[in-house]
């Protein structure tokens, strides 16, 4: 079979895999994105006792392979099967998709926490003092001063992290989740046609490129007040 | 509990240590190959010839956008197919052979490492002080002398933090080779799990071993950075 033919006959599976990869990445990044700013706040302003567990968690996640973490959760949960059944959690851990999402969330939360910590610590202290001086409450300061600034600083680094997460999601194929990589291996084991790997590479690159393009558009929007004014027509 | 990890026939301590040795061998073998690829690609990406520059920039863009496990499978299966068809072409009666998983691991990890290292090296190269290079030319150094005496020592200083991060990432990526049947730490753990039926205990130990390796690497790297920066004046 030539490369075109193999895609013609297997495109539904590859599309299915692509949707799975997107689902893993987007769900993982969003849940982690909801948790990490709060951990980052604790990490940059909390007491030492509150900071220590977060530090250990981040260090552990960053110091171990994601594949090992995936095996620890997916296969490791089997060791506690009676206990998990009693808690009604066994059905959750039996599904490889859930385990993959759980690991990606734990992983991305650690990385995003570090990125957001950098963003929060980069906020100009004078602006926070000014906000306090005009009588903003702590929540208002967070909402109007700290987070808008922190996200602007952290935005490019967050994009790197989400691309890393997308690449890591290929590991889910090892625990039988049929994402792009899983489908590709399945098709290869059936046809022994090498070109399916090149198609997979192409799909991954296309996702990354589209994502970088979109992310950059949002970055411009976040920074629209400090963009150069010389081509005013382009900025609207 | 502890006898599970004892050394000898009853425990899994020796098997896991052997896996760890394979993991370390793989990482240590990959580092120089990856650095060479990194330098070549970095110089290609900065080349004055447009076609060469496109190859360099294209390589880093593509390799950094692909999942490491995909690269590994492409190298393992692709090189295997290529090798077999070469053997068949050379001698049609020959039996097909399997491509060595260790070699496939080294090549794939080095290709990924090289793509990221090229970006680090390029960044370091751009941070070199132009005035010093002009000064070197002014005192009559040849380009080779300038490279070895002025550029390379400072390149090392600028690139070390980035390369250190890549080393830690690569150390973690070695776990992927367990998928292509190489007996590294991850795979030996899997074997132990299959026999003892204690997945959580063993995978936790594997995680802890990787964690120790990474923390140790970080400590050594920060000493190396301090050493590399010993001559730099602090503001």
């Amino acid at each position: 079979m030539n490369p075109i033919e193999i895609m013609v006959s297997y495109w539904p599976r590859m599309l299915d895999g692509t949707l799975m990869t997107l689902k893993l990445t987007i769900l993982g990044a969003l849940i982690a994105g909801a948790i990490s700013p709060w951990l980052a706040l604790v990490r940059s302003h909390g007491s030492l006792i509150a900071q220590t567990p977060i530090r250990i968690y981040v260090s552990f996640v960053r110091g171990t392979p994601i594949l090992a973490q995936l095996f620890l959760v997916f296969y490791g949960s089997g060791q506690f099967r009676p206990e998990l059944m009693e808690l009604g959690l066994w059905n959750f851990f039996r599904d490889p998709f859930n385990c993959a999402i759980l690991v990606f969330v734990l992983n991305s939360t650690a990385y995003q926490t570090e990125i957001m910590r950098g963003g929060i610590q980069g906020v100009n202290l004078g602006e926070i003092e000014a906000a306090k001086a005009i009588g903003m409450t702590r929540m208002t300061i967070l909402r109007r001063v700290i987070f808008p600034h922190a996200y602007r600083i952290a935005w490019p680094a967050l994009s790197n992290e989400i691309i890393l997460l997308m690449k890591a999601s290929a590991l889910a194929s090892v625990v039988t989740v049929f994402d792009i990589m899983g489908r590709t291996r399945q098709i290869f084991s059936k046809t022994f046609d090498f070109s399916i790997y090149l198609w997979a590479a192409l799909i991954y690159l296309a996702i990354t490129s589209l994502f970088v393009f979109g992310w950059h558009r949002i970055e411009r929007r976040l920074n629209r007040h400090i963009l150069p004014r010389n081509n005013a027509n382009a900025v609207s | 509990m502890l006898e599970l990890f004892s050394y000898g026939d009853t425990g899994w301590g020796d098997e896991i240590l052997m896996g760890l040795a394979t993991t370390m061998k793989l990482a240590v073998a990959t580092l120089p190959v990856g650095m060479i690829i990194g330098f070549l690609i970095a110089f290609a990406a900065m080349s004055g010839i447009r076609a060469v520059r496109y190859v360099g920039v294209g390589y880093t863009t593509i390799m950094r956008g692909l999942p490491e496990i995909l690269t590994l499978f492409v190298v393992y299966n692709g090189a295997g197919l290529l090798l077999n068809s070469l053997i068949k072409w050379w001698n049609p009666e020959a039996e097909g052979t399997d491509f060595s998983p260790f070699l496939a691991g080294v090549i794939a990890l080095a290709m990924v490492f090289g793509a990221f290292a090229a970006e680090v090296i390029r960044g370091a190269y751009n941070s070199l002080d132009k005035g010093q290079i002009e000064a070197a030319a002014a005192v009559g150094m040849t380009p080779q002398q300038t490279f070895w005496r002025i550029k390379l020592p400072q390149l090392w200083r600028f690139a070390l933090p980035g390369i250190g991060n890549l080393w830690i990432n690569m150390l973690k990526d070695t776990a992927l080779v367990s998928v292509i049947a190489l007996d590294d730490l991850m795979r030996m753990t899997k074997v132990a799990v299959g026999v003892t039926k204690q997945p959580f205990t063993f995978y936790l130990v594997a995680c802890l071993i990787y964690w120790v390796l990474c923390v140790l690497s970080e400590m050594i790297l920060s000493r190396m950075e301090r050493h590399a920066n010993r001559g730099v004046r602090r503001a």
Side-chain angles (χ1 to χ4, degrees):
Chain A
M1 263 195 280
N2 69 36
I4 306 291
E5 268 173 57
I6 196 156
M7 202 54 177
V8 167
S9 43
Y10 286 107
W11 73 266
R13 287 199 200 184
M14 288 307 271
L15 180 68
D16 191 57
T18 308
L19 293 178
M20 178 54 93
T21 291
L22 290 176
K23 206 159 105 184
L24 284 168
T25 311
I26 294 172
L27 206 58
L30 280 181
I31 299 174
I35 307 169
S36 57
W38 310 105
L39 291 184
L41 271 180
V42 176
R43 188 66 182 76
S44 52
H45 295 300
S47 66
L48 200 66
I49 302 160
Q51 277 191 34
T52 308
I54 299 179
R55 272 181 197 229
I56 294 172
Y57 156 66
V58 170
S59 167
F60 178 80
V61 168
R62 297 213 296 187
T64 49
I66 303 186
L67 192 65
Q69 296 165 12
L70 199 58
F71 285 173
L72 183 67
V73 170
F74 182 61
Y75 296 118
S77 57
Q79 198 171 331
F80 303 105
R81 189 171 166 181
E83 291 86 345
L84 287 169
M85 273 175 142
E86 219 164 278
L87 291 166
L89 286 171
W90 178 242
N91 277 330
F92 178 88
F93 283 103
R94 212 177 45 180
D95 183 5
F97 176 80
N98 290 339
C99 289
I101 281 286
L102 179 64
V103 167
F104 294 154
V105 166
L106 284 174
N107 212 275
S108 197
T109 302
Y111 282 93
Q112 287 190 30
T113 298
E114 281 301 287
I115 293 168
M116 286 307 290
R117 181 175 68 92
I120 288 170
Q121 287 175 344
V123 178
N124 193 337
L125 275 181
E127 294 190 25
I128 297 170
E129 283 164 7
K132 274 184 193 155
I134 58 170
M136 283 191 190
T137 61
R138 291 185 73 160
M139 272 319 279
T140 318
I141 294 177
L142 275 184
R143 193 158 51 85
R144 293 201 185 157
V145 182
I146 294 182
F147 279 145
H149 266 306
Y151 272 105
R152 225 168 266 141
I153 297 167
W155 203 251
L158 284 176
S159 120
N160 284 340
E161 160 51 23
I162 294 172
I163 291 175
L164 285 181
L165 182 63
M166 202 268 293
K167 287 169 40 178
S169 75
L171 295 177
S173 66
V174 180
V175 291
T176 66
V177 175
F178 284 106
D179 67 332
I180 299 175
M181 194 65 214
R183 288 293 177 200
T184 306
R185 285 172 66 186
Q186 192 187 29
I187 296 168
F188 182 78
S189 66
K190 207 175 277 177
T191 62
F192 284 102
D193 188 327
F194 185 67
S195 58
I196 194 68
Y197 277 116
L198 304 179
W199 280 112
L202 219 56
I203 298 173
Y204 275 113
L205 288 177
I207 296 175
T208 315
S209 317
L210 284 175
F211 172 78
V212 168
F213 178 75
W215 200 261
H216 197 72
R217 291 293 292 264
I218 305 174
E219 186 177 326
R220 281 178 67 100
R221 173 132 189 96
L222 284 178
N223 290 323
R224 61 195 181 282
H225 58 296
I226 44 175
L227 282 176
R229 280 292 188 145
N230 49 15
N231 58 348
N233 299 335
V235 185
S236 58
Chain B
M1 187 71 197
L2 268 179
E3 57 262 32
L4 276 177
F5 295 102
S6 66
Y7 210 84
D9 291 340
T10 50
W12 290 91
D14 46 344
E15 278 85 355
I16 287 174
L17 277 182
M18 262 155 64
L20 176 62
T22 307
T23 292
M24 290 309 296
K25 250 189 277 177
L26 189 66
V28 171
T30 302
L31 186 66
V33 184
M35 283 305 289
I36 292 169
I37 295 178
F39 266 103
L40 289 178
I41 296 297
F43 287 129
M46 292 184 295
S47 159
I49 306 160
R50 185 181 285 180
V52 176
R53 200 163 59 228
Y54 281 169
V55 170
V57 173
Y59 180 85
T60 54
T61 313
I62 291 172
M63 288 307 291
R64 291 189 305 154
L66 294 181
E68 291 80 3
I69 191 168
L70 180 69
T71 311
L72 186 64
F73 273 107
V74 166
V75 170
Y76 184 53
N77 291 328
L81 287 175
L82 196 72
L83 196 71
N84 274 332
S85 60
L86 274 180
I87 290 172
K88 282 265 153 62
W89 176 74
W90 188 256
N91 176 8
E93 282 109 71
E95 299 264 320
T97 56
D98 268 340
F99 191 53
S100 144
F102 187 86
L103 197 57
V106 170
I107 294 173
L109 290 173
M111 279 168 75
V112 175
F113 186 95
F116 284 92
E119 290 292 281
V120 172
I121 292 165
R122 205 156 61 95
Y125 214 85
N126 289 334
S127 329
L128 290 176
D129 188 352
K130 286 259 156 42
Q132 293 185 7
I133 293 157
E134 283 164 12
V139 296
M141 284 193 191
T142 64
Q144 281 78 21
Q145 283 175 327
T146 314
F147 180 79
W148 289 108
R149 296 187 191 172
I150 311 288
K151 290 180 179 172
L152 199 62
Q154 303 200 71
L155 221 52
W156 173 240
R157 183 156 59 84
F158 291 133
L160 189 56
I163 299 290
N165 278 338
L166 294 181
W167 160 258
I168 290 174
N169 281 344
M170 189 257 285
L171 203 58
K172 292 191 289 172
D173 284 341
T174 57
L176 297 178
V177 298
S178 64
V179 183
I180 57 165
L182 184 57
D183 289 331
D184 73 325
L185 173 57
M186 206 63 222
R187 197 172 153 85
M188 290 319 278
T189 309
K190 201 169 191 167
V191 172
V193 165
V195 175
T196 60
K197 307 291 177 217
Q198 299 228 22
F200 191 82
T201 316
F202 277 94
Y203 283 124
L204 188 65
V205 167
C207 279
L208 292 177
I209 293 174
Y210 280 111
W211 195 12
V212 168
L213 285 182
C214 287
V215 171
L216 273 179
S217 298
E218 269 169 31
M219 280 158 63
I220 294 168
L221 280 164
S222 80
R223 295 198 83 168
M224 282 168 74
E225 269 170 51
R226 239 190 339 228
H227 184 75
N229 285 315
R230 68 198 178 283
V232 181
R233 187 175 44 164
R234 298 255 164 250

